[in-house]
Amino acid sequence: MPRLQITTPDALADESGAEAALRPSRLDEFVGQPQVRQSLQIAIDAAKGRGEALDHLLFFGPPGLGKTTLAMLLAKEMGVQLRTSSGPVLERPGDLVGLLTSLQRGDILFIDEIHRLRPQLEEFLYPAMEDFRVDVRIGEGPAAQTIPMALERFTLVGATTRFGLLTPPMRARFGIVERLQFYAPDDLQRILLRSAAVLRTPIDDAGALEIARRSRGTPRVANRLLRRVRDYAQVRADGRVTAAVAAEALQRLNVDEFGLDDMDARILTTIIEKFGGGPVGLGTVAVAVGEDAGTLEEVYEPYLIQQGYLERTPRGRQATRRAYERFGVTPPAGSQQALFDG
């Protein structure tokens, strides 16, 4: 795996099997997001008590925090089937008709990256979500007919990393909207201890905490780092993951004690060294580091901003005093950071 990918919260193509094996099987096994879990448990208990389907749900937040896992757990808790798709995959209304008509009463349809649905598909979903029907168009031209088709009452679960890109009519049709936050190191430590048990990897609390601290608040990253540390421990140590073994393994992967990797360092040092600390436009930074602007905005920036290394201003991105300190650089004279330091 390229080092630049080791801490990306996006799912990688070859990780689907490994992720599935580490997912919890019940909602009470899901670690972290206590307010979300409590809200979902109340909704589940109420729906089951009334014998109804769940309200439509929307999960939003950075990638890798458990949106897909929660959708799977909802289906298990409700005892229904789960159908999955994603916004980019659905191209025509016919794609949705096939999915919707295959749903039984109470089933859950999970659409990842729902903000990337085409406008015509969004409009096609509105009557399905509200009235549980779809209008199927038969034929073309003046002779075309539209036939309404009834659907079973189902639950749509949407997931998005870009809540602001959802249209207001789509957002308004979700009865439950939950935001997933980055995880605290203690929660990630618990996740890692459970994952290590599933992987049959000996690990102590200190080793799990060392990995957790460098996991960017993201379970997907934590589990990925655990697998790489496990490999290192097997080859270079006695197979047991301790704090020292984890630190050495992660240092070799260029993941520092703050969870910053090569790309994070390139972003921050580029802004500091080439653009005087900013402000500088996102597109300019993307060209300078050789990365897609959308990837920078969705994948890297949220963690850098949360940790206080970067800020978004009306004029562009700007490195903070903490970023200068991290790389041992003095803010240039006359800059905003230097004025604050003075």
Side-chain angles (χ1 to χ4, degrees):
M1 179 185 299
R3 288 184 175 182
L4 291 180
Q5 290 185 337
I6 193 68
T7 58
T8 176
D10 283 335
L12 303 180
D14 59 348
E15 288 187 324
S16 56
E19 279 197 355
L22 298 178
R23 283 186 173 128
S25 58
R26 299 193 311 272
L27 187 60
D28 58 10
E29 293 179 356
F30 189 92
V31 176
Q33 312 293 342
Q35 293 183 343
V36 175
R37 282 190 293 114
Q38 184 179 34
S39 175
L40 294 180
Q41 191 63 65
I42 291 173
I44 290 168
D45 292 342
K48 291 172 73 173
R50 294 191 301 265
E52 298 177 355
L54 281 168
D55 281 345
H56 302 303
L57 293 102
L58 177 66
F59 296 123
F60 71 98
L65 300 187
K67 295 184 284 293
T68 303
T69 299
L70 284 172
M72 294 180 175
L73 293 178
L74 285 173
K76 289 183 178 180
E77 295 287 339
M78 292 295 296
V80 299
Q81 295 296 313
L82 176 72
R83 300 286 188 273
T84 64
S85 188
S86 66
V89 171
L90 298 170
E91 297 182 351
R92 300 178 302 275
D95 298 333
L96 269 176
V97 170
L99 279 172
L100 293 171
T101 54
S102 70
L103 298 174
Q104 303 298 315
R105 182 175 178 82
D107 282 356
I108 293 176
L109 173 60
F110 175 69
I111 301 181
D112 198 10
E113 297 183 88
I114 196 170
H115 63 277
R116 295 179 64 182
L117 275 178
R118 298 186 178 188
Q120 63 172 343
L121 294 185
E122 272 198 24
E123 295 177 3
F124 189 81
L125 266 178
Y126 295 160
M129 295 174 70
E130 288 187 325
D131 304 323
F132 300 99
R133 66 171 177 83
V134 289
D135 296 324
V136 180
R137 185 181 178 87
I138 299 176
E140 298 292 339
Q145 293 182 334
T146 300
I147 301 176
M149 181 179 296
L151 302 172
E152 296 285 356
R153 299 188 72 87
F154 71 97
T155 299
L156 176 64
V157 177
T160 177
T161 57
R162 306 288 299 277
F163 183 73
L165 294 185
L166 281 177
T167 62
M170 175 59 81
R171 290 199 300 263
R173 283 169 169 81
F174 287 99
I176 303 172
V177 178
E178 297 289 351
R179 177 177 183 176
L180 274 63
Q181 309 280 356
F182 285 112
Y183 288 62
D186 290 348
D187 287 335
L188 289 175
Q189 182 188 36
R190 292 169 56 199
I191 291 172
L192 286 165
L193 291 172
R194 178 187 177 278
S195 297
V198 173
L199 295 172
R200 298 181 180 178
T201 300
I203 188 171
D204 59 23
D205 290 348
L209 184 60
E210 185 67 27
I211 299 173
R213 289 173 49 241
R214 305 183 187 219
S215 298
R216 305 170 68 91
T218 307
R220 179 179 288 151
V221 174
N223 285 327
R224 183 184 300 139
L225 293 181
L226 172 63
R227 293 194 294 271
R228 301 289 74 78
V229 172
R230 175 191 61 172
D231 294 344
Y232 177 85
Q234 179 181 336
V235 175
R236 295 295 179 88
D238 60 359
R240 182 177 180 81
V241 177
T242 63
V245 170
E248 174 64 22
L250 294 173
Q251 182 179 0
R252 290 174 177 269
L253 292 169
N254 285 349
V255 180
D256 71 10
E257 63 271 25
F258 305 105
L260 303 184
D261 65 5
D262 286 358
M263 180 55 78
D264 297 308
R266 285 173 60 187
I267 293 169
L268 294 175
T269 56
T270 295
I271 294 175
I272 290 172
E273 295 173 1
K274 294 185 178 180
F275 303 105
V280 58
L282 174 64
T284 302
V285 177
V287 172
V289 300
E291 184 57 89
D292 176 69
T295 301
L296 292 187
E297 188 173 23
E298 295 179 27
V299 175
Y300 293 100
E301 284 190 351
Y303 183 75
L304 294 176
I305 292 172
Q306 188 212 36
Q307 297 299 310
Y309 294 105
L310 187 70
E311 61 180 345
R312 292 173 180 164
T313 72
R315 296 175 58 198
R317 274 57 176 173
Q318 183 164 323
T320 66
R321 181 178 64 182
R322 187 176 186 186
Y324 280 91
E325 293 173 348
R326 167 64 183 81
F327 297 102
V329 179
T330 302
S335 71
Q336 221 173 20
Q337 296 299 333
L339 290 174
F340 284 130
D341 289 344

